[in-house]
Short mmCIF file of all heavy atoms in Angstrom, two decimals:
data_model
loop_
_atom_site.label_atom_id
_atom_site.label_comp_id
_atom_site.label_asym_id
_atom_site.label_seq_id
_atom_site.Cartn_x
_atom_site.Cartn_y
_atom_site.Cartn_z
N LYS A 547 15.53 3.25 12.01
CA LYS A 547 16.06 4.60 11.80
C LYS A 547 16.14 4.97 10.32
O LYS A 547 15.68 6.05 9.92
CB LYS A 547 17.41 4.76 12.48
CG LYS A 547 17.97 6.17 12.43
CD LYS A 547 19.23 6.30 13.28
CE LYS A 547 19.78 7.71 13.23
NZ LYS A 547 21.01 7.85 14.09
N PRO A 548 16.70 4.12 9.45
CA PRO A 548 16.76 4.51 8.03
C PRO A 548 15.38 4.66 7.39
O PRO A 548 15.18 5.56 6.57
CB PRO A 548 17.55 3.37 7.38
CG PRO A 548 17.60 2.27 8.37
CD PRO A 548 17.48 2.90 9.70
N LEU A 549 14.41 3.82 7.76
CA LEU A 549 13.06 3.99 7.22
C LEU A 549 12.42 5.27 7.74
O LEU A 549 11.74 5.99 6.99
CB LEU A 549 12.18 2.80 7.59
CG LEU A 549 12.29 1.54 6.73
CD1 LEU A 549 11.38 0.45 7.26
CD2 LEU A 549 11.97 1.83 5.26
N THR A 550 12.66 5.58 9.00
CA THR A 550 12.12 6.81 9.58
C THR A 550 12.67 8.03 8.86
O THR A 550 11.93 8.95 8.49
CB THR A 550 12.45 6.87 11.08
OG1 THR A 550 11.83 5.76 11.74
CG2 THR A 550 11.96 8.17 11.70
N LYS A 551 13.98 8.06 8.64
CA LYS A 551 14.60 9.17 7.93
C LYS A 551 14.02 9.29 6.52
O LYS A 551 13.71 10.40 6.05
CB LYS A 551 16.12 8.98 7.86
CG LYS A 551 16.84 9.16 9.17
CD LYS A 551 18.34 8.95 9.02
CE LYS A 551 18.97 9.94 8.08
NZ LYS A 551 20.44 9.79 8.00
N LEU A 552 13.88 8.18 5.85
CA LEU A 552 13.40 8.19 4.47
C LEU A 552 12.02 8.84 4.38
O LEU A 552 11.78 9.70 3.52
CB LEU A 552 13.34 6.75 3.95
CG LEU A 552 12.84 6.57 2.51
CD1 LEU A 552 13.85 7.16 1.52
CD2 LEU A 552 12.61 5.08 2.22
N PHE A 553 11.11 8.45 5.27
CA PHE A 553 9.74 8.94 5.17
C PHE A 553 9.56 10.34 5.73
O PHE A 553 8.76 11.13 5.20
CB PHE A 553 8.77 7.94 5.81
CG PHE A 553 8.46 6.78 4.91
CD1 PHE A 553 9.16 5.59 5.02
CD2 PHE A 553 7.49 6.89 3.93
CE1 PHE A 553 8.90 4.53 4.17
CE2 PHE A 553 7.22 5.84 3.07
CZ PHE A 553 7.92 4.65 3.19
N ILE A 554 10.29 10.70 6.77
CA ILE A 554 10.16 12.06 7.28
C ILE A 554 10.78 13.05 6.29
O ILE A 554 10.24 14.13 6.05
CB ILE A 554 10.77 12.19 8.68
CG1 ILE A 554 9.93 11.42 9.70
CG2 ILE A 554 10.86 13.66 9.09
CD1 ILE A 554 10.41 11.52 11.13
N GLU A 555 11.91 12.69 5.70
CA GLU A 555 12.50 13.55 4.69
C GLU A 555 11.56 13.73 3.50
O GLU A 555 11.42 14.83 2.96
CB GLU A 555 13.85 13.00 4.23
CG GLU A 555 14.95 13.16 5.26
CD GLU A 555 16.27 12.55 4.82
OE1 GLU A 555 16.33 12.00 3.70
OE2 GLU A 555 17.25 12.63 5.59
N ALA A 556 10.89 12.66 3.11
CA ALA A 556 9.92 12.75 2.02
C ALA A 556 8.73 13.62 2.42
O ALA A 556 8.19 14.40 1.62
CB ALA A 556 9.45 11.36 1.61
N SER A 557 8.31 13.50 3.68
CA SER A 557 7.22 14.31 4.17
C SER A 557 7.57 15.79 4.15
O SER A 557 6.76 16.63 3.75
CB SER A 557 6.85 13.88 5.60
OG SER A 557 5.85 14.72 6.16
N LEU A 558 8.78 16.12 4.56
CA LEU A 558 9.24 17.49 4.52
C LEU A 558 9.31 18.03 3.10
O LEU A 558 8.93 19.17 2.82
CB LEU A 558 10.61 17.60 5.19
CG LEU A 558 10.64 17.35 6.71
CD1 LEU A 558 12.07 17.33 7.22
CD2 LEU A 558 9.85 18.42 7.43
N ALA A 559 9.78 17.18 2.18
CA ALA A 559 9.86 17.59 0.78
C ALA A 559 8.47 17.84 0.21
O ALA A 559 8.25 18.81 -0.54
CB ALA A 559 10.57 16.52 -0.03
N ASN A 560 7.50 17.00 0.59
CA ASN A 560 6.14 17.18 0.11
C ASN A 560 5.53 18.48 0.65
O ASN A 560 4.76 19.15 -0.04
CB ASN A 560 5.26 16.01 0.54
CG ASN A 560 5.56 14.74 -0.25
OD1 ASN A 560 5.97 14.80 -1.40
ND2 ASN A 560 5.36 13.58 0.38
#
Side-chain angles (χ1 to χ4, degrees):
K547 186 173 180 179
L549 279 178
T550 298
K551 289 180 62 176
L552 180 68
F553 280 95
I554 291 182
E555 287 177 1
S557 176
L558 293 173
N560 287 330

